Amino acid sequence: MNSRIPLFAANWKMNKRIADVSPFMVKLNQGLQKLSKKAGSDFEVVIGPSATHLAAASQAVQGTPIELAAQNCGHAKSGAFTGEISPEAIKELHCPWVILGHSERRHLYLEDNGLVLRRLKAAWEEGLKVILCVGETLPQRKSQQTTKVVEEQLQILKGFSPSQENLVIAYEPVWAIGTGENATPDQAQEVHAFIRGWLKQVFSLSLSENTRILYGGSVKPENSKDLMGKPDVDGFLVGGASLEAESFLGIIENGLKSRG
Ligand code: PGA
């Protein structure tokens, strides 16, 4: 038996005003209270606002089950790194999670696996929990390189001893992000199963069985039930559809329906 509690994470990217944060959290929390009674099973919710919004978000989620994620973190504890966000300060804001290796960071800001590795190291040294994003572009998929690319992105984990508590993997095919075209449940399942197999081969059966693997890329209330109906899809990393509490709640509610 695995111990994978479904996880629903929101990636707000560079959206929302700071003033929007508190009303959103109030609405989300009310919805979550109702949902947890209805769902009857456990699940976790993580919201990833911009770094500028984390302090307000941190206050707003006090006393709720909602946890926070930063969208990136610096590769060192502190120092002369203009524009970077220190993992130490993220922790200080009571934000336990950080998203690393998002495809927008990789493609728009040219973060390569080496840099993601250094950020990962800094995050784990600070005790942050990491959502590591992996995924292929459309040309890579078309030329049958999906698993090769995903494996290369996973390789950075090799020097560490990750645990099911401090690591979540998000499979986000680049062609599905913000395009309205999600991977089919079968396409997602195929890559998730590959990732789980890789974790078993490189680390252990226990890590492989207990690590949550999220799907991301045009997730919405209309497709979350079918996607989560697949055995290796343990939740989502949601961009656009996480910006309104109603649609994010719809994703969670429908996703959990697949769990009976
Ligand atoms: P999307 O983004 O849900 O808007 O496709 C997902 C992501 O980038 O994490």
Side-chain angles (χ1 to χ4, degrees), residues 11 13 102-104 133 172 176-180 216-219 237-242:
N11 175 9
K13 311 188 179 184
H102 189 276
S103 78
E104 283 146 22
C133 302
E172 299 205 306
I177 295 178
T179 59
S218 297
V219 177
L237 179 56
V238 187
S242 73

Side-chain angles (χ1 to χ4, degrees), residues 15-227:
N15 291 299
K16 287 198 184 289
R17 297 174 318 144
I18 297 175
D20 299 330
V21 171
S22 173
F24 178 97
M25 296 299 184
V26 169
K27 216 188 247 183
L28 178 63
N29 189 42
Q30 284 167 350
L32 291 176
Q33 299 311 317
K34 283 192 208 138
L35 256 184
S36 25
K37 281 190 207 123
K38 248 210 279 190
S41 59
D42 230 4
F43 61 94
E44 291 174 12
V45 172
V46 173
I47 303 287
S50 314
T52 43
H53 297 41
L54 277 177
S58 181
Q59 281 208 331
V61 300
Q62 262 183 41
T64 78
I66 305 164
E67 293 197 332
L68 297 177
Q71 296 175 10
N72 206 353
C73 79
H75 62 277
K77 197 180 173 92
S78 60
F81 304 110
T82 303
E84 289 291 277
I85 298 143
S86 114
E88 188 181 40
I90 292 171
K91 192 88 181 290
E92 215 181 332
L93 286 169
H94 306 289
C95 171
W97 292 89
V98 60
I99 298 168
L100 292 180
H102 189 276
S103 78
E104 283 146 22
R105 299 302 317 173
R106 293 179 190 267
H107 295 104
L108 301 175
Y109 303 100
L110 308 183
E111 290 191 11
D112 60 11
N113 286 325
L115 180 53
V116 181
L117 186 155
R118 290 160 75 200
R119 295 193 190 285
L120 182 73
K121 184 165 182 286
W124 275 343
E125 277 174 4
E126 203 52 50
L128 293 173
K129 300 187 275 189
V130 170
I131 300 176
L132 176 66
C133 302
V134 298
E136 82 290 359
T137 62
L138 192 57
Q140 288 166 336
R141 171 163 282 267
K142 283 191 171 155
S143 57
Q144 269 90 48
Q145 294 193 35
T146 299
T147 50
K148 179 175 166 278
V149 171
V150 168
E151 184 167 14
E152 273 164 17
Q153 292 167 335
L154 291 172
Q155 294 287 347
I156 64 168
L157 293 168
K158 271 192 166 169
F160 301 99
S161 311
S163 73
Q164 66 202 63
E165 282 82 31
N166 70 9
L167 176 67
V168 165
I169 294 171
Y171 168 57
E172 299 205 306
V174 181
W175 48 271
I177 295 178
T179 59
E181 189 199 343
N182 58 286
T184 65
D186 284 341
Q187 285 173 323
Q189 169 59 25
E190 191 182 10
V191 181
H192 284 225
F194 170 78
I195 295 169
R196 213 173 286 295
W198 186 89
L199 289 172
K200 179 176 163 202
Q201 187 201 323
V202 172
F203 295 103
S204 66
L205 178 63
S206 152
L207 189 79
S208 148
E209 282 184 341
N210 295 313
T211 298
R212 283 159 312 168
I213 306 177
L214 312 182
Y215 167 77
S218 297
V219 177
K220 24 189 187 288
E222 296 76 36
N223 58 25
S224 65
K225 181 167 181 247
D226 286 348
L227 283 160

